[in-house]
Amino acid sequence: MKKIILTVAAVFAFSFANAQDKKGGSEGFSQGDLYLTGTANLTNSKTGDVKSDGLTLAPGVGYFLTENIALEGSLSFKSGKDTNAAGVETKTSGFGIAAGAKYLFTPADKFSLSIGGNISYMSTKVEVGGGDATTKEIGINVPVGLNYFVSSNFALTSTWGGLGYSSNDNGGKGADKTNKFGLGLDMSSISFGLLYKL
């Protein structure tokens, strides 16, 4: 009886270990993988009569050309409303598009680090007191990212810092352009998202 129990326990342990190996092997990325990704940001603040609300959504899609290189594209939508102490409202709405590529250092693992490059375009409409203006911004960014698979299909993602450049026309019509260049590696600019591997 003792031998039977030990044999059953050994078979069960082997089966469990084998199942874990198969599960672990399905996490991560490989060539030809297609995935959906996205971030969402909701803000709300109030200080006395000064209020600020904002919502940003950025869904995206990616495809692995090779074992380590993925192409990505995303759309972004933003909306916000600020009210100053005098009760004047400023409404903001915008639409953007971005495309780029990234290199993953350990794509087949549960945890992977990436570095990428993308170019983006954003059009933002600002309405204040019955008048409005539309600004157009072009940006280039080189972000650093992390992916962590919590299951075979779902991963938590984060990006931060990076080398960036942007040019904003400030509404055009003779307005001076604002050109920005920066290197941000601190954690103040980190963003989190979700990824679903199809």
Side-chain angles (χ1 to χ4, degrees), residues 2 17 46 57 89 98 114 125 135 140 182 197:
K2 204 174 195 180
K46 182 178 179 182
L57 298 173
E89 288 187 350
S114 68
K125 182 178 181 181
T135 64
I140 298 171
K197 184 175 70 173

Side-chain angles (χ1 to χ4, degrees), residues 124 133-136 168-176:
T124 305
T134 301
T135 64
K136 297 174 178 60
N168 190 322
D169 72 352
N170 292 315
K173 300 176 186 175
D176 291 333

Side-chain angles (χ1 to χ4, degrees), residues 38-46 52-58 77-82 190-193:
T39 60
N41 187 26
L42 179 65
T43 59
N44 178 276
S45 67
K46 182 178 179 182
S52 179
D53 297 294
L55 173 67
T56 304
L57 298 173
F77 308 91
K78 69 178 181 179
S79 177
K81 183 171 74 171
D82 298 319
I190 195 166
S191 65
F192 295 94

Side-chain angles (χ1 to χ4, degrees), residues 105-118:
F105 292 94
T106 54
D109 292 347
K110 189 170 188 171
F111 176 86
S112 59
L113 175 68
S114 68
I115 187 165
N118 62 57

Side-chain angles (χ1 to χ4, degrees), residues 1 26 29 33-34 54 60 72 75 99 120 123-124 134 159 177 191:
M1 184 69 173
S26 65
F29 298 107
D33 278 349
L34 181 68
E72 282 190 338
L75 299 175
S120 62
S123 176
T124 305
T134 301
T159 57
K177 288 185 178 180
S191 65

